[in-house]
Structures are given as C-alpha cells and as structure tokens.
Amino acid sequence: MAILIKNGLVINQKTGAHSFARGDVLIDGDRIIGKGGDLSARAAAFQDLQVIDATDKLVMPGFIDAHMHSNEGFEMGRYDNLPLEIWLSEVYPPFGSPAMSWREHYLRAMLVAIISLRSGVTTLQDDVINISGTPEAVDATATAFRDAGLRGWITASMWDESYCNSLPFVGDLVPADMKARLDAMPAPDWKAQIELFEELSGKWHGKDNMRIILGPCGPQRCSEKLLQEVASLSEARDLPVHCHVLETKTQAVTGEEKYGRTLVQFLKDMGLMTHRLTMNHAIWLTDEDIATMGEARCSTTHNPLANLKLGSGVSPVRRMMNAGVNVALGCDGVASADTADIFVAFKAAAGLHKIGTFDYNDWISAHEVYDMATTSAARSSLMEKEVGTLEEGMLADVILMDKTDWGFMPLHDPIKKIAFSVNSDVVTHSIVGGKLVMEDRKLTTVNENDLRGEIAEAAAKFERDHCPEMSKGAAEVRPYLDQMYDTATTREIGLYPRVKV
Ligand SMILES: [Zn+2]
C-alpha cells in the first residue's frame, strides 16, 4: 500500500527554526520514500495508491509523547492539591491496590491511546506501573495500542525495594505494627522482574510497532542488584532505560539520606549514566549533576503538566540543554498531567520557562518545544534514526493539521500557533507506520463509539469498586507521609548548597 500526501504545506525541520514549503510526501509500505516537490510521477508507479489531498493541510511528523503512564487512565482528573509523595499514596496505595481483569487493563490503555492519537501523538513512551508484577497489564496495553494503531514503546516498571526503604524517614515514623505490615508486603524479587521483562520482550519487542524497554521506576525504589542488572542488559542490547529521577525535593533528600550522594551520582555509580538513560523529570539537580548528565549525553523527559499539578518545581531545561542533555517532552501519567493531549503539554512547556528568569535569552521557544516533542523525544528512546522527522527512509509516522482552522489565521508561523493559538482539534489525519489510523478526525482502526460505552462503564466500575478501598489504604499512611513531607521539604540539603530551580 502506498500513500501520496498531495500538495500540503510540508515541514522542513531545522533544530529550533522550522519552516514549511508546499509539496508532496510519498509513502511506500511503512516508510517515507519521497518528500517535497511534485511526486505524482513517482506515485503513478504504485497500483494501490491512496491519495490524500493536503491542499489545506500542514504535513508534519507525528508527535512522540516521551513519558506516560496509561495505567492511570481511570483516574484522569481525580486528584488536586497533593504533592507527589502524598499523591502516590492515593494512586498507588500501599494497601488496597486494585486487582483488574485483562479487559479492564485493555480498556484503560485504550482510553489513553485514543486521546493520544487524536492529539497527533503517533508514538507513546508508556511506563506501565505494574503493581501486580504479572504480564497482564503490559500485554493488555500493547494489545490496545496495536489495535488503535499507535506506536508503543513500553516499560514494565521495575522496583524491588520495600515501601519504607523507598521514602526517607517513613520507616521510623510509622507504628511498629504498620511497619511490619508494610515490610510483609511481597516486594517483587529482582530476578522475577528481569524474567517478566524477558517474557514481555519475547512476546512484543519489534512486533506490531511495539518495543519493550527497561524501566526501573526510580533509583530509590530499586536494589543495587536490580539497577546493575538493568545497566548490563541496556548495554548488551543497546536498549533505552527510562527512570524517574529527582522529581521532588523529597527525592533529593532521599539521595542524601539513603546513599549520601545525589541520585544522579548514585545512578552513575550503578553504571546507568549513559546516552541510553532517560531521567524522567530531573528537577532537583546540582550543578555537578547537570555536568554529569551532559557528559553522559543522557536524556530527560520534561513533563510540565505533572510538575505544575504536583508542585514539584521547574525543571532547569535551559541549563540541561546548555550542558548537552537531550530534553524530550512528555505529558506524564493522566492522574497527574490529567490529559494525554500533547498540545496541552506543549503549551505548558512553551510558557513555563518564561517565568523564573528575566533573561529572555534563556527562555524556551515554541520551536524548541517542537523539537522536544519530535526529534528529541525519539532520541530519548534511541529511535532518532527511525521516527521524529519526515525525511526519506524514516518510518511513515505523519500527521496532517487543518490550516483553515480559525486559530491558524494568519498562518505566519504554524509552530508558534501550535504553542499559543490552536488546540489538538486541528489534527485531522494520522498515519502510523504507513497505515492511515485517523481520517478527518475519525479513527479508522477501532470503533470509538462502541468503545466509548464500554470504557465509560469500566471507568465507573473502577471508581465504584476500587477507589474507596484505595482511599482507605492511602488514609492509613497519610499522617506519617505528612510528617515525612514536612521534614523533607523543610530540610536544608547539604548536597545542594546552591540549588536553583
Ligand atoms: Zn512518571
């Protein structure tokens, strides 16, 4: 099957300074084989050619959302005014964690897949927080993405440290009987986690546009053995590693309390600080941390929506970029970002960095955010030679936007318009791996209307059957987490003599 996208305004990508020119894009199979000018003659060679008239369209590579937790789908918009560690106890309670069927996992992931696709996301880097430690959640997620036609880079999030060992002070704050209950909860064995990774990788990696990558949940949540095992697997197979690092001040305190080092320096000592590492968030960094990250040429995902919602701080994006760190854009999970619409994250990133410094040369521009959501996001999962641009030979992940939308008038600079003037309704068509998955804002892969009822029902059942139990579990630990939070947030951190955020 070949597709000719005819006579559109096609992007010419140039880091930080993108432009558009009228022309065609030709797709054969899952690859782009031509871009620019009139490609009608070349296209005529294909018998099964589909032509899309793009006269009124902008033609661009699909967005890559570099950080998501689709498993939070049924809690979208449920929480407010909670910092990360307290919020975590609600969404991932130590007691009362919900058990779900394969179909419920599937529907929850499908909800996020549909919102993503409809906002122009063609690849989702999804960190499935897999509480049960079984294959079902990731298997159902990959199946949902495949069915929706979305490219999925998926981790089964790994951790093997106990609850009390993952948070500072908590082990000393909780009563003895609660500590015994927390310690008695089965912390997944590191070997079992690697085995699960191998099982999922064998089933999905490289098939149906899916990749299975390594996802230690956070350094403080993993044993040294698990982290070292992840480091050697990453090196042996050239696989990316996505890990939450220094999202909050509490985590900065954790580094000092648990390791006597910042978490960046700890990761370096574990052999993980390489160009294959992506640190999600990366807010509470020392100057030395930023230099270390730059030397390693590692990546970070910038998730402004979640950072704002959870009061985590402002990631020092400009300073990381200056040091050579690759910065990708993510929404983050839909219980903190509260949307999988990448346009919303785009706008937040394009606005947020204009506060905090009066030096406007250091502000982050709309064009830089565009790079974060395309080429840099691809790079953060080591896929920059496959997706993120419309060049010949790249995988055919292409979106079309309606340039007649009122918000695009006048169309002086479509990238600035995406940041400041239009919303994701402008995305009309989406092609993933050469397959048309959305046409005139209608998904061609799944029946959205049929799914709407089933997803709504499953979400309501989750709210009714699971949320009260989860809240109860969270309430048990809440007084001690509040004390922990107060201690951590008021503490002077010796490792951070000149911390800037
Ligand atoms: Zn996350």
Side-chain angles (χ1 to χ4, degrees):
M1 178 76 185
I3 298 175
L4 178 66
I5 302 169
K6 187 73 197 150
N7 198 35
L9 269 183
V10 182
I11 193 166
N12 284 315
Q13 284 163 275
K14 187 177 169 213
T15 307
H18 306 280
S19 59
F20 289 77
R22 196 159 282 285
D24 301 348
V25 172
L26 184 58
I27 296 165
D28 180 23
D30 65 353
R31 299 273 166 181
I32 295 165
I33 61 163
K35 179 194 166 209
D38 183 352
L39 300 176
S40 300
R42 276 183 72 190
F46 294 94
Q47 288 183 338
D48 56 348
L49 180 73
Q50 180 176 6
V51 179
I52 299 172
D53 177 8
T55 307
D56 288 332
K57 312 286 193 215
L58 300 162
V59 184
M60 309 166 86
F63 290 118
I64 301 162
D65 184 341
H67 187 53
M68 172 52 66
H69 304 285
S70 69
N71 59 284
E72 294 172 8
F74 291 163
E75 292 157 271
M76 187 161 49
R78 190 168 194 274
Y79 306 98
D80 194 11
N81 279 2
L82 296 174
L84 177 82
E85 285 75 19
I86 314 287
W87 172 91
L88 278 171
S89 75
E90 298 279 342
V91 185
Y92 303 98
F95 309 116
S97 188
M100 291 169 61
S101 70
W102 191 96
R103 184 69 182 172
E104 286 166 333
H105 284 299
Y106 175 91
L107 293 168
R108 195 166 65 169
M110 181 62 83
L111 169 62
V112 172
I114 289 172
I115 297 170
S116 299
L117 276 170
R118 293 179 65 81
S119 77
V121 169
T122 50
T123 300
L124 198 57
Q125 172 71 57
D126 190 18
D127 184 5
V128 177
I129 306 286
N130 185 20
I131 298 292
S132 66
T134 60
E136 279 77 28
V138 171
D139 191 56
T141 300
T143 307
F145 290 2
R146 179 199 67 194
D147 291 355
L150 181 67
R151 190 180 300 285
W153 303 336
I154 304 176
T155 70
S157 206
M158 302 170 172
W159 73 95
D160 62 345
E161 282 284 84
S162 69
Y163 191 79
C164 292
N165 276 348
S166 308
L167 291 161
F169 319 124
V170 169
D172 295 329
L173 289 168
V174 294
D177 60 329
M178 183 178 286
K179 175 141 194 327
R181 280 170 66 208
L182 288 167
D183 288 348
M185 286 192 307
D189 171 62
W190 70 266
K191 270 192 198 145
Q193 308 234 354
I194 299 290
E195 279 165 20
L196 177 61
F197 165 79
E198 295 287 12
E199 180 184 342
L200 293 165
S201 188
K203 181 163 184 191
W204 286 102
H205 194 68
K207 292 165 199 156
D208 296 321
N209 293 336
M210 298 299 136
R211 296 169 77 221
I212 302 294
I213 71 157
L214 293 157
C217 190
Q220 74 281 9
R221 298 172 193 137
C222 299
S223 66
E224 295 193 8
K225 181 68 193 161
L226 177 56
L227 292 172
Q228 287 160 351
E229 204 64 28
V230 166
S232 61
L233 264 176
S234 166
E235 185 174 10
R237 300 189 200 169
D238 196 25
L239 275 175
V241 178
H242 277 237
C243 185
H244 295 87
V245 188
L246 291 166
E247 180 174 355
T248 61
K249 187 177 176 192
T250 298
Q251 291 177 7
V253 171
T254 307
E256 188 172 65
E257 284 286 313
K258 190 167 180 179
Y259 307 112
R261 286 162 277 180
T262 73
L263 293 179
V264 166
Q265 302 308 324
F266 174 64
L267 285 172
K268 186 181 176 191
D269 293 341
M270 291 297 103
L272 276 161
M273 189 52 68
T274 75
H275 70 285
R276 294 183 298 277
L277 176 69
T278 292
M279 293 171 42
N280 299 316
H281 304 293
I283 294 171
W284 288 82
L285 304 167
T286 64
D287 290 345
E288 187 192 0
D289 287 345
I290 292 175
T292 301
M293 293 164 66
E295 276 163 32
R297 292 280 185 260
C298 78
S299 295
T300 179
T301 60
H302 178 41
N303 308 284
L305 295 174
N307 299 159
L308 285 161
K309 178 74 179 292
L310 302 173
S312 302
V314 180
S315 178
V317 165
R318 174 63 69 206
R319 290 166 58 218
M320 286 194 286
M321 282 177 166
N322 288 346
V325 176
N326 175 61
V327 182
L329 182 68
C331 281
D332 203 353
V334 290
S336 62
D338 297 305
T339 183
D341 182 334
I342 196 74
F343 275 59
V344 185
F346 197 118
K347 290 167 193 301
L352 179 61
H353 300 279
K354 294 171 181 44
I355 57 170
T357 175
F358 291 115
D359 185 352
Y360 58 84
N361 293 308
D362 272 351
W363 294 356
I364 303 294
S365 72
H367 282 255
E368 288 177 302
V369 178
Y370 185 77
D371 292 325
M372 289 185 204
T374 52
T375 47
S376 300
R379 160 72 183 82
S380 82
S381 288
L382 309 180
M383 289 290 276
E384 70 273 21
K385 294 198 173 93
E386 297 281 17
V387 291
T389 74
L390 289 189
E391 299 313 308
E392 286 181 28
M394 301 292 277
L395 285 167
D397 289 5
V398 187
I399 54 173
L400 272 56
M401 295 187 198
D402 176 10
K403 78 177 182 64
T404 68
D405 184 271
W406 295 114
F408 273 132
M409 295 179 195
L411 189 68
H412 42 71
D413 182 343
I415 301 293
K416 289 191 196 124
K417 292 289 191 165
I418 290 168
F420 306 121
S421 306
V422 297
N423 64 42
S424 58
D425 288 349
V426 297
V427 181
T428 59
H429 292 62
S430 180
I431 296 167
V432 182
K435 184 177 176 195
L436 185 63
V437 300
M438 184 167 75
E439 187 171 19
D440 292 322
R441 288 205 65 66
K442 191 163 181 254
L443 294 188
T444 64
T445 45
V446 290
N447 186 322
E448 288 173 77
N449 284 334
D450 287 353
L451 281 166
R452 195 183 300 274
E454 196 183 356
I455 290 173
E457 203 173 296
K461 179 171 178 282
F462 185 91
E463 181 80 23
R464 186 184 65 235
D465 293 353
H466 297 309
C467 287
E469 202 59 29
M470 292 163 68
S471 297
K472 212 171 116 198
E476 280 201 69
V477 290
R478 180 66 165 271
Y480 314 105
L481 290 182
D482 277 339
Q483 287 179 54
M484 179 277 295
Y485 180 74
D486 286 346
T487 308
T489 50
T490 52
R491 172 160 290 212
E492 289 284 324
I493 314 176
L495 292 167
Y496 291 74
R498 291 179 294 113
V499 71
K500 299 170 220 151
V501 293

